[in-house]
Amino acid sequence: MKQQLEAIRAAARTALNDCTDPNLLEKLRVQYLGKKGELTAILKQMGKLSAEERPAIGQLANQVREDIEAALAEKQQRLAEALLAHKLESETVDITLPGTTQKVGSMHPLTIVENEIREIFLGMGFSVADGPEVEYDYYNFEALNLPPDHPARDTQDTFYITDNILLRTQTSSVQVHVMEHQKPPIRVISPGRVYRSDAVDATHSPLFHQIEGLVVDKGITMADLKGTLELLMQRLYGEECRIRLRPHHFPFTEPSAEVDVMCFQCHGEGCRMCKGEGYIELLGAGMVHPKVLEGCGIDSSVYSGFAFGLGLERVAMRRYNIGDMRLLFENDYRFLEQF
Ligand code: PHE
């Protein structure tokens, strides 16, 4: 029995010595010291020993148990240390290496221009209205005095979803929403996306942005329209900026005008940028058509109003001298980080 005990001790020591895996360590503990372990198995046979032999063997058995326990504990500590050392080793950070700089994003030029225009109008007492991009034909066309056979409804220009649902082609649709829910005095702008079935090129995109403006009150005239837009352009492009109104036609305004802004490259002289004109076309505008007012339940013999629709891409392109509209949508970081 003595030899057996010695053999167990020796075997346990070798096994522990070779052990490099913390999981295996627990298995070894069970194997040698567990209730069904080798040591226990031997101790169970103690009863067969004579009274003289028993104390010595008992002592030896206890000694063997203690030895194995000590060896186990030591091994456990070694393994933990090794693990920690390995972890520290593999996770060391070379603090002398240059850091990875996080690029800070910048505002998109369209956002910059939109925010600026919002601020200018908020300063003039306007509020901001929102409208759906997926729109009923009624709001985009019909209520804006565009009868069903009007050429602007041609499917070439408009993305139809069903016969009477479409992607709005102009923010003018919001005029109708606003006037349906709000009675004069009305002073709102409405920035947003609009869609037209155009092929992409330097000056066209099937998705672009407009800012609609609408003012309805007693005694509103074309002079209010011109004054408001002139103020806007001077804030955007500088005090010396002048605008010019040219007669035009929109079904929902009467009279209607296209608004040109003085070319800020040549200040009206005529240059390559404005193609010798001295002025650059920037927006459409006019006095709200009485039919549109009446359709929204506003008495056109008491109230009048003006409206305008400004292309945001155009404003941004003029502002930052961007020659190709595609740059605004491609999200090339080298372009965007310049703003
Ligand atoms: N909705 C017109 C367009 O997209 C612009 C416009 C708005 C004209 C308001 C007059 C009044 O071209």
Side-chain angles (χ1 to χ4, degrees):
M1 194 170 272
K2 191 177 168 207
Q3 276 157 9
Q4 276 180 309
L5 284 169
E6 300 281 11
I8 289 176
R9 175 153 66 186
R13 277 196 177 138
T14 334
L16 280 169
N17 229 352
D18 296 345
C19 173
T20 53
D21 178 0
N23 299 324
L24 191 63
L25 210 56
E26 176 57 18
K27 278 196 193 134
L28 290 176
R29 195 190 63 76
V30 174
Q31 180 183 343
Y32 291 108
L33 302 179
K35 275 196 191 119
K36 292 176 184 160
E38 292 181 21
L39 193 59
T40 317
I42 293 188
L43 291 178
K44 277 180 185 154
Q45 296 165 30
M46 289 272 280
K48 293 181 193 158
L49 294 174
S50 65
E52 300 89 69
E53 282 175 310
R54 218 174 284 161
I57 294 294
Q59 215 175 8
L60 179 62
N62 281 335
Q63 191 59 52
V64 167
R65 169 177 289 276
E66 275 167 31
D67 285 354
I68 295 178
E69 273 170 356
L72 261 167
E74 192 190 315
K75 190 70 188 183
Q76 195 157 29
Q77 175 143 12
R78 284 279 141 73
L79 286 178
E81 278 167 10
L83 198 71
L84 182 65
H86 177 72
K87 228 177 154 181
L88 288 174
E89 175 80 17
S90 64
E91 288 175 8
T92 40
V93 174
D94 183 351
I95 56 165
T96 63
L97 284 174
T100 41
T101 43
Q102 292 287 335
K103 289 213 174 189
V104 178
S106 56
M107 210 83 100
H108 192 280
L110 287 175
T111 312
I112 299 175
V113 172
E114 185 189 314
N115 286 346
E116 237 170 85
I117 296 174
R118 275 174 187 259
E119 282 304 315
I120 295 168
F121 279 106
L122 288 179
M124 288 195 263
F126 284 64
S127 48
V128 178
D130 205 9
E133 290 172 28
V134 178
E135 187 56 283
Y136 286 110
D137 179 289
Y138 176 78
Y139 290 95
N140 196 77
F141 290 135
E142 185 119 28
L144 291 169
N145 197 26
L146 274 120
D149 52 359
H150 196 283
R153 291 167 156 243
D154 198 313
T155 44
Q156 279 184 3
D157 301 320
T158 308
F159 290 115
Y160 279 95
I161 292 166
T162 68
D163 275 354
N164 75 352
I165 297 174
L166 44 79
L167 294 180
R168 69 177 178 191
T169 60
Q170 49 188 0
T171 45
S172 298
S173 55
V174 185
Q175 286 186 34
V176 183
H177 286 290
V178 169
M179 286 191 282
E180 274 183 351
H181 292 108
Q182 195 183 330
K183 293 306 148 206
I186 293 170
R187 253 179 296 176
V188 293
I189 54 162
S190 184
R193 298 188 191 107
V194 298
Y195 303 84
R196 289 184 199 178
S197 168
D198 279 326
V200 176
D201 66 22
T203 53
H204 291 89
S205 160
L207 180 163
F208 58 103
H209 299 77
Q210 288 187 332
I211 295 192
E212 194 78 6
L214 174 70
V215 171
V216 185
D217 204 350
K218 287 177 182 156
I220 297 293
T221 70
M222 203 84 178
D224 297 307
L225 170 63
K226 190 172 182 201
T228 305
L229 292 177
E230 195 153 56
L231 195 74
L232 168 69
M233 294 309 165
Q234 287 175 349
R235 290 278 164 79
L236 278 177
Y237 295 117
E239 285 301 321
E240 65 291 349
C241 182
R242 293 288 170 271
I243 62 168
R244 185 172 83 172
L245 271 61
R246 273 182 298 104
H248 198 71
H249 174 263
F250 296 106
F252 38 93
T253 46
E254 181 58 35
S256 302
E258 270 190 333
V259 183
D260 300 340
V261 59
M262 188 193 274
C263 175
F264 21 91
Q265 190 123 308
C266 64
H267 298 276
E269 297 292 318
C271 68
R272 235 188 48 186
M273 190 167 165
C274 56
K275 300 193 181 85
E277 286 286 316
Y279 280 80
I280 291 163
E281 187 213 317
L282 263 194
L283 66 149
M287 302 304 292
V288 182
H289 198 293
K291 271 194 181 172
V292 176
L293 291 175
E294 296 291 340
C296 297
I298 293 173
D299 187 344
S300 63
S301 66
V302 179
Y303 294 104
S304 57
F306 69 76
F308 60 87
L310 180 68
L312 214 52
E313 280 76 6
R314 271 197 195 173
V315 178
M317 287 167 76
R318 300 281 178 249
R319 174 73 174 276
Y320 297 114
N321 229 329
I322 300 166
D324 193 322
M325 195 188 282
R326 284 168 287 202
L327 286 166
L328 293 171
F329 299 110
E330 279 166 354
N331 287 335
D332 186 328
Y333 195 79
R334 291 164 299 179
F335 169 74
L336 291 177
E337 70 184 346
Q338 297 174 48
F339 298 94

